[in-house]
Amino acid sequence: MIFGAFGSLYCMSFVFSCGQVAYLVINKGLQIRTYVLALAVLVTLPLQIIFLGMSVMWSPGSLPHEAIVLVVFLCTVIRVIVGEGIIVIKPIVDSLSAGGGGCCTWIPSMRLVIEEQEALVVDV
């Protein structure tokens, strides 16, 4: 009961915070990322709370209890994957793609490609 109240309070404050963040973002891509992250949290967190509450109805080791535990775990995994992808991986990919040609000079094959591109720019 207390966990459900905490979950609903957390979801309401999360919606308020995501609304403010979505209002302040600088482009449409970041706004979409914010909405996807909010959707992932707002769908999986209440599901996890509901299934955790249902898990007390069956004894551990029974098939319904194990299925509920699996659903709770999958909700957590989905939230972690979406969060990591949006908060960590996507910004790194964006920064590497915006970094220009000098970001991969330590790879010999990339160094040749970069030198060829620089030679073409100088010739033009």
Side-chain angles (χ1 to χ4, degrees), residues 2-18 37-38 40-46 48-49 79 87:
I2 294 173
F3 191 54
F6 169 75
S8 61
L9 182 66
Y10 179 80
C11 286
M12 286 189 295
S13 63
F14 190 77
V15 167
F16 178 71
S17 298
C18 284
L37 181 63
V41 170
L42 292 175
V43 169
T44 58
L45 186 65
Q48 183 176 4
I49 292 170
R79 244 188 345 265
I87 296 173

Side-chain angles (χ1 to χ4, degrees), residues 77-96:
V77 167
I78 289 170
R79 244 188 345 265
V80 167
I81 289 173
V82 171
E84 184 178 346
I86 290 174
I87 296 173
V88 177
I89 295 174
K90 186 66 174 159
I92 290 173
V93 169
D94 289 347
S95 65
L96 287 176

Side-chain angles (χ1 to χ4, degrees), residues 8-76:
S8 61
L9 182 66
Y10 179 80
C11 286
M12 286 189 295
S13 63
F14 190 77
V15 167
F16 178 71
S17 298
C18 284
Q20 288 181 337
V21 169
Y23 177 72
L24 294 174
V25 296
I26 57 175
N27 62 17
K28 193 76 164 174
L30 288 175
Q31 191 174 28
I32 290 172
R33 285 187 221 165
T34 304
Y35 287 140
V36 169
L37 181 63
L39 183 69
V41 170
L42 292 175
V43 169
T44 58
L45 186 65
L47 277 176
Q48 183 176 4
I49 292 170
I50 289 169
F51 282 110
L52 278 173
M54 289 174 51
S55 69
V56 299
M57 295 181 191
W58 292 278
S59 63
S62 65
L63 184 62
H65 184 269
E66 298 301 321
I68 287 174
V69 169
L70 177 65
V71 171
V72 168
F73 173 73
L74 290 177
C75 287
T76 305

Side-chain angles (χ1 to χ4, degrees), residues 116-124:
E116 289 173 0
Q117 289 175 349
E118 289 173 350
L120 289 175
V121 170
V122 172
D123 291 340
V124 174

